[in-house]
Amino acid sequence: MARYTCSFIVSVPVNHLQPLLVELLQDCELDIQYYTPDYIMAREIPGSISFSKLVKVEVLVDKSTATEAETRMSIVIKNEELPLQLDNHCRQMFEFIKQAIENSRHWHLIESLAG
């Protein structure tokens, strides 16, 4: 199973972050499966790649440390594909979604930590 993680601190109030993240993930052509104010689960839409390569995305928002000025969030991107190559589909989607978060016009990125 391929799995990639990253944490971000963004300058946006926690109560505004969830709808912005839902929109961002939908813009990345992901289908939102479930969401709460501090958790979002999305998946890649089937059709163009094999089932084992379909990516699932989980976003966790840390409400316990959030302030009016900044919010910390973590993303986990995974699929059933064995990561036999460094540049596999899951890694490509991870980089694509990470770039979308880092370049979003809805907030200023304070910190990005890949794991």
Side-chain angles (χ1 to χ4, degrees), residues 75-90:
I75 60 169
V76 177
I77 298 175
K78 58 189 175 181
N79 67 6
E80 298 299 320
E81 175 184 23
L82 291 174
L84 301 175
Q85 300 173 354
L86 183 59
D87 190 29
N88 58 65
H89 179 71
C90 190

Side-chain angles (χ1 to χ4, degrees), residues 43-79:
R43 70 177 173 97
E44 199 169 5
I45 299 168
S48 61
I49 58 168
S50 67
F51 186 75
S52 65
K53 292 183 178 183
L54 289 175
V55 169
K56 294 179 184 171
V57 178
E58 293 181 275
V59 181
L60 300 118
V61 178
D62 186 357
K63 294 176 85 174
S64 65
T65 61
T67 66
E68 268 305 304
E70 7 180 286
T71 305
R72 178 182 294 271
M73 64 177 167
S74 299
I75 60 169
V76 177
I77 298 175
K78 58 189 175 181
N79 67 6

Side-chain angles (χ1 to χ4, degrees), residues 8-107:
F8 302 93
I9 299 175
V10 293
S11 63
V12 65
V14 69
N15 57 338
H16 294 125
L17 185 58
Q18 188 254 15
L20 296 173
L21 284 170
V22 166
E23 181 183 335
L24 182 135
L25 292 171
Q26 289 172 332
D27 289 346
C28 291
E29 298 188 18
L30 296 167
D31 184 34
I32 306 302
Q33 300 290 296
Y34 178 79
Y35 64 90
T36 64
D38 59 355
Y39 176 81
I40 301 170
M41 183 175 69
R43 70 177 173 97
E44 199 169 5
I45 299 168
S48 61
I49 58 168
S50 67
F51 186 75
S52 65
K53 292 183 178 183
L54 289 175
V55 169
K56 294 179 184 171
V57 178
E58 293 181 275
V59 181
L60 300 118
V61 178
D62 186 357
K63 294 176 85 174
S64 65
T65 61
T67 66
E68 268 305 304
E70 7 180 286
T71 305
R72 178 182 294 271
M73 64 177 167
S74 299
I75 60 169
V76 177
I77 298 175
K78 58 189 175 181
N79 67 6
E80 298 299 320
E81 175 184 23
L82 291 174
L84 301 175
Q85 300 173 354
L86 183 59
D87 190 29
N88 58 65
H89 179 71
C90 190
R91 179 65 180 214
Q92 292 168 358
M93 287 298 293
F94 170 75
E95 293 297 336
F96 177 68
I97 294 166
K98 184 174 173 268
Q99 278 299 127
I101 292 170
E102 289 174 349
N103 297 330
S104 177
R105 62 180 168 80
H106 295 295
W107 54 68

Side-chain angles (χ1 to χ4, degrees), residues 6-10 71-73 102 108-113:
C6 192
S7 295
F8 302 93
I9 299 175
V10 293
T71 305
R72 178 182 294 271
M73 64 177 167
E102 289 174 349
H108 172 71
L109 181 69
I110 296 171
E111 187 175 355
S112 174
L113 302 167

